[in-house]
Amino acid sequence: MKGMSIRIKITVWFSLALIAVVFFTYITVISVGNSILQKSVRDNLITAVENNVDEIVFYKDVTESKPDPADDFIEFGNGYLKIDDDYLDQVNGIYTALYTDEALMLYGENPISKESVNLKFTDSQIQKIKVSGTLYYIFDRRLSQDGTQGLWLRGIVSEKQGSVQMSTISKISLIIMPLLVLLAIIGGYAIAGRALKPIREISDTAAKIEKGGDLKQRIDIGKGNDELHRLADSFNQMFKRLENAFESERQFTFDASHELRTPVSVIAAECEFTLEQERNADEYREALKVIERQGKKMTNLINDMLDVTRLETRADSFARENVDLSELVASTCKDTALIKQKGITLKYSAESGIHVRGNALLLSRLLTNLISNAYRYGVENGNIFVSLKITEGEALISVEDDGIGIEKDEQDKIFSRFYQTDSSRSNEGTGLGLAMVYEIVQFHKGTIRVESESGKGSRFTVHLPAQQ
Amino acid sequence: MRILIAEDEKDLNRIITRKLTSDGYSVDSCFDGGDAIDILSYTDYDAIILDIMMPGADGFTVLRRLRESGKNTPVLFLTARDGVADRVKGLDSGANDYLVKPFSFEELSARLRAMTRRSYGFSDNVLRVDDLTLNSASHVVKRGEKVIDLSAKEYALLEYLMMNRGVVLSRDKIENHIWNFDYEGGTNVVDVYISYLRKKIDGGFDKKLIRTVRGHGYVLGDSDR
């Protein structure tokens, strides 16, 4: 059975079972039927003989008998035996013959009279005799009416009388049963095929995905609610998840290779140019500085990309705990305020005792990204203002600057990965800072809004559900 | 040969400028698409290297504005976008060539040479005027069998004259193509370099290839007029 398809296995199995059932049914029917038939043959024999008993009457005088022209008369003893015309010599293969004690046949028919002549008469008993391979049943009846003493009625019937009917049954069975079995096998094979079709669809689709790597493929087996449809649904869900995972992986690879091209080309070009000929120490130092700068850029880029991807695809790997947001905002602002960049002043105000459920590392990353963004796009001697307060059960963080601002049509794009406004290109940024902020806000089931006017500054407001 | 580089990554811009300058090109550079459009509106270049993603205006816009102004200056896109669709879009928008970062200088130089000689109607790297030959790949210049040693500027000047052989070039035009904006020399710089070149090319040869066309400028080879 190994190596066969399930369809063939099912078909072979039930075909064999069906054939066995049919075979045993046939045997049973034949054997039971046979014995029933034999019994009915014997019963018929007795009935036929008993019926004929009454048809034989003894008369001393013929005239007494109100004879019918069809009746027969036989001279017997000192009178006559009237054989009524209802007497049946032969009916349904049952022969009846009238005998004397001396086994002299007076009337009727016996197909095996010669062979059975030596068979003793036994009243109301069935005897068997085999004549040239055929079994005969013989039933004798002693006549006991007046004047008929010493006479016997002998009924003879061949067991073949039943066999004829039996063979008809078996003939019909032998033709019809195999036909039915064949029909059942064909039907079963077809139904097994249909029932297994969804499985074939599933395996075909899986094979297609395996071969072509096209995760957009879905199993389509129509509508339904049986086990197979549920299986197909589960598979489709799995394919979808896989597709998404692969898609984000692919996107990551694409972004990574794309974003890393520029720093790599700077390094390659710098090396190629510098190595062309002997340079002086200053030139070498300058080249190395460029390489170092680009190397740092690549490091930042890779770290940011990994962080964003991890947030996107495996957010559950970040633990959630009770975070003292007031403490976090205050300490982050205190630290960053120490970094004097472009003469920008950072001020903050944080209401105390505000807690959220989340990840402290991510929340501090969120704040740092927003603040460094404000520094990056701030103007010389500008201001940054960070505030934390609680309103209607929501913690509200806002980071405000009076920097270059963001154009209206760009405001909804700034949270996309690698989107950089024209004015921010060729800056230190990796293009991932705000994308990460967005993901962190999502992780904390919060919202983020940006209000900005080009040339006047921007305000980012983050709403997070607060812990009571 | 004068080239404009518009690339917003400052380090990359700087290194390409240095490399091409050392190759004898006169190079101007800018970091912004808007600046590139401005510069191109009043200066002619022999080739332009354009980044696609730039602040101010992207490479496509710069290229479109250039073509709209009727200039056929060869343009090479230098970009991190490596998809087939990006390349097709770049070339279809009128760029002459497309180079994906990271690149090697060798390839960039070769593509620049190919682009410029095509724009002057040559298909060979070796320029010939009479028995004077200039190989733009190896930078070897020969008069007959004699190898002539030239400085970077002299080479650039000769290459420009040979590309325009038979055409009379004004001092202004020559200066604009060989010297970039950084040069603040006197107006006679062209005459000075022409005289250097004459000594090396024509000195000791009966046939003088560089001729002065009074009131117009200079011409290499037989003039049409």
Side-chain angles (χ1 to χ4, degrees):
Chain A
M1 293 290 268
K2 262 183 198 163
M4 282 185 189
S5 75
I6 293 178
R7 186 184 192 181
I8 299 288
K9 277 183 194 168
I10 290 178
T11 313
V12 165
W13 161 247
F14 88 73
S15 303
L16 290 178
L18 200 61
I19 288 166
V21 166
V22 163
F23 179 73
F24 285 112
T25 310
Y26 180 75
I27 299 293
T28 312
V29 164
I30 296 298
S31 66
V32 171
N34 207 34
S35 59
I36 290 172
L37 272 170
Q38 294 304 319
K39 186 168 183 324
S40 90
V41 163
R42 292 197 298 267
D43 288 350
N44 287 345
L45 173 66
I46 293 166
T47 313
V49 172
E50 292 293 346
N51 283 342
N52 281 343
V53 166
D54 296 337
E55 309 302 335
I56 299 165
V57 187
F58 178 79
Y59 295 105
K60 284 209 165 118
D61 193 347
V62 178
T63 50
E64 280 173 48
S65 64
K66 298 175 229 155
D68 192 288
D71 297 342
D72 286 325
F73 289 91
I74 298 167
E75 216 182 309
F76 182 69
N78 43 3
Y80 299 90
L81 288 174
K82 183 189 115 181
I83 316 291
D84 198 273
D85 67 341
D86 288 343
Y87 179 93
L88 298 167
D89 298 336
Q90 199 257 13
V91 61
N92 292 339
I94 301 166
Y95 299 85
T96 318
L98 185 65
Y99 281 91
T100 63
D101 267 345
E102 296 80 28
L104 185 71
M105 191 166 80
L106 299 178
Y107 193 78
E109 275 185 65
N110 183 352
I112 51 163
S113 54
K114 219 188 279 171
E115 291 85 354
S116 61
V117 75
N118 291 323
L119 200 69
K120 286 241 163 64
F121 292 108
T122 50
D123 189 26
S124 299
Q125 292 263 323
I126 286 183
Q127 300 184 82
K128 290 177 197 169
I129 181 168
K130 217 164 196 161
V131 179
S132 57
T134 311
L135 187 72
Y136 288 86
Y137 294 109
I138 291 177
F139 181 75
D140 298 326
R141 180 75 157 77
R142 185 200 299 274
L143 300 184
S144 49
Q145 278 180 309
D146 285 345
T148 62
Q149 286 90 347
L151 287 175
W152 293 84
L153 266 181
R154 173 164 273 187
I156 307 105
V157 70
S158 152
E159 61 149 9
K160 281 219 175 114
Q161 198 50 42
S163 302
V164 171
Q165 293 172 43
M166 233 16 246
S167 74
T168 316
I169 291 173
S170 66
K171 258 183 215 155
I172 291 172
S173 306
L174 281 175
I175 294 165
I176 288 182
M177 280 179 154
L179 270 178
L180 286 175
V181 167
L182 197 67
L183 202 71
I185 290 171
I186 292 169
Y189 183 73
I191 286 173
R194 276 183 66 128
L196 294 173
K197 196 173 165 238
I199 292 180
R200 214 166 48 235
E201 291 268 351
I202 292 169
S203 76
D204 284 356
T205 309
K208 257 188 234 161
I209 289 172
E210 196 267 318
K211 267 191 214 124
D214 179 13
L215 283 168
K216 287 193 167 51
Q217 296 268 358
R218 292 288 179 273
I219 299 160
D220 183 17
I221 54 170
K223 281 199 162 62
N225 199 28
D226 56 22
E227 294 87 338
L228 286 176
H229 282 86
R230 284 202 293 276
L231 176 68
D233 281 349
S234 311
F235 265 103
N236 281 341
Q237 301 247 327
M238 186 182 77
F239 290 150
K240 198 176 167 191
R241 271 193 62 121
L242 278 177
E243 190 193 345
N244 288 346
F246 274 105
E247 183 52 38
S248 74
E249 203 88 336
R250 202 190 61 78
Q251 187 65 39
F252 177 83
T253 317
F254 177 82
D255 288 343
S257 65
H258 186 261
E259 294 298 318
L260 289 172
R261 271 173 202 283
T262 302
V264 167
S265 44
V266 177
I267 291 174
E270 191 70 47
C271 293
E272 196 183 338
F273 178 74
T274 309
L275 291 173
E276 255 176 14
Q277 60 191 81
E278 280 298 316
R279 309 275 174 189
N280 62 36
D282 281 348
E283 286 174 319
Y284 281 126
R285 190 174 300 118
E286 201 185 334
L288 286 176
K289 269 187 189 160
V290 169
I291 292 168
E292 186 192 24
R293 191 158 55 227
Q294 297 294 332
K296 252 182 212 157
K297 209 179 247 185
M298 287 164 74
T299 312
N300 290 342
L301 200 58
I302 290 166
N303 286 340
D304 281 4
M305 280 195 291
L306 286 173
D307 286 347
V308 169
T309 309
R310 185 169 162 216
L311 265 169
E312 270 181 2
T313 54
R314 296 195 303 277
D316 42 339
S317 64
F318 292 96
R320 281 172 212 268
E321 64 225 344
N322 190 5
V323 180
D324 185 342
L325 201 57
S326 307
E327 169 63 30
L328 189 141
V329 168
S331 66
T332 308
C333 288
K334 226 179 271 170
D335 291 348
T336 42
L338 295 176
I339 311 160
K340 296 267 184 247
Q341 265 185 32
K342 297 182 185 170
I344 291 171
T345 320
L346 185 140
K347 285 182 188 142
Y348 70 93
S349 83
E351 281 178 23
S352 60
I354 300 177
H355 292 255
V356 293
R357 191 161 174 72
N359 187 291
L361 204 72
L362 291 180
L363 287 169
S364 121
R365 190 70 191 264
L366 177 146
L367 204 58
T368 330
N369 280 7
L370 285 178
I371 293 172
S372 52
N373 228 39
Y375 269 109
R376 196 170 297 147
Y377 306 120
V379 288
E380 293 284 330
N381 302 318
N383 293 287
I384 296 172
F385 184 65
V386 181
S387 84
L388 170 70
K389 54 188 174 186
I390 191 156
T391 32
E392 293 162 8
E394 276 190 325
L396 228 129
I397 309 168
S398 90
V399 178
E400 201 176 343
D401 67 62
D402 52 2
I404 57 172
I406 308 156
E407 296 280 352
K408 270 267 170 313
D409 58 335
E410 293 188 308
Q411 286 179 12
D412 51 342
K413 297 182 205 153
I414 54 171
F415 294 109
S416 317
R417 279 208 246 180
F418 297 113
Y419 184 83
Q420 285 186 300
T421 61
D422 273 353
S423 43
S424 70
R425 297 216 129 257
S426 76
N427 215 305
E428 321 282 86
T430 57
L432 286 167
L434 288 178
M436 203 179 305
V437 165
Y438 185 80
E439 292 297 334
I440 294 172
V441 171
Q442 294 293 307
F443 176 82
H444 290 91
K445 299 186 172 60
T447 54
I448 183 163
R449 215 175 58 229
V450 58
E451 298 155 87
S452 181
E453 199 173 323
S454 188
K456 290 202 171 163
S458 318
R459 176 165 59 212
F460 288 87
T461 318
V462 177
H463 295 247
L464 298 175
Q467 288 271 87
Q468 296 308 317
Chain B
M1 207 80 67
R2 194 165 176 188
I3 290 173
L4 177 70
I5 299 168
E7 159 68 59
D8 68 339
E9 165 54 56
K10 292 192 175 64
D11 285 332
L12 189 60
N13 191 318
R14 191 185 121 271
I15 196 71
I16 296 173
T17 307
R18 286 182 64 185
K19 166 68 183 169
L20 295 182
T21 307
S22 81
D23 280 355
Y25 292 101
S26 70
V27 184
D28 292 313
S29 58
C30 61
F31 308 99
D32 181 287
D35 292 349
I37 292 173
D38 283 350
I39 296 169
L40 286 169
S41 69
Y42 55 78
T43 316
D44 280 340
Y45 287 92
D46 293 295
I48 301 164
I49 297 173
L50 272 184
D51 185 16
I52 290 180
M53 300 286 278
M54 275 189 295
D58 66 11
F60 295 120
T61 313
V62 176
L63 178 58
R64 205 184 60 237
R65 296 284 287 274
L66 178 77
R67 297 290 182 242
E68 276 168 6
S69 70
K71 287 179 182 167
N72 287 318
T73 316
V75 169
L76 180 138
F77 271 135
L78 186 62
T79 174
R81 295 185 178 188
D82 66 335
V84 172
D86 294 317
R87 293 164 195 254
V88 169
K89 190 184 171 197
L91 293 172
D92 280 353
S93 65
N96 301 66
D97 209 343
Y98 195 100
L99 190 57
V100 176
K101 297 172 190 173
F103 59 93
S104 85
F105 273 133
E106 249 177 289
E107 188 178 358
L108 180 68
S109 302
R111 283 174 188 268
L112 269 180
R113 282 196 299 273
M115 247 172 39
T116 46
R117 73 168 176 255
R118 229 179 283 137
S119 79
Y120 280 102
F122 298 100
S123 55
D124 195 350
N125 255 336
V126 180
L127 300 174
R128 281 188 186 80
V129 175
D130 213 70
D131 59 347
L132 175 70
T133 58
L134 178 146
N135 187 320
S136 59
S138 62
H139 285 207
V140 172
V141 178
K142 283 183 186 171
R143 180 92 196 249
E145 286 307 307
K146 185 189 167 205
V147 176
I148 297 166
D149 206 18
L150 297 176
S151 74
K153 271 284 171 274
E154 289 162 357
Y155 173 86
L157 177 61
L158 179 63
E159 187 183 32
Y160 185 58
L161 288 172
M162 287 181 87
M163 289 261 195
N164 292 286
R165 65 175 162 198
V167 179
V168 179
L169 300 165
S170 68
R171 287 179 178 79
D172 264 4
K173 201 162 182 189
I174 293 172
E175 192 183 331
N176 279 335
H177 274 272
I178 309 299
W179 283 269
N180 63 6
F181 290 129
D182 301 336
Y183 180 76
E184 287 171 20
T187 42
N188 69 339
V189 65
V190 177
D191 299 329
V192 170
Y193 272 89
I194 288 284
S195 75
Y196 292 161
L197 208 53
R198 268 193 168 137
K199 268 182 210 146
K200 292 185 177 176
I201 303 292
D202 291 338
F205 289 92
D206 289 342
K207 187 167 183 186
K208 307 299 180 196
L209 293 175
I210 301 172
R211 293 186 296 116
T212 312
V213 180
R214 207 162 290 278
H216 290 284
Y218 299 97
V219 63
L220 184 78
D222 300 323
S223 171
D224 298 342
R225 43 177 169 158

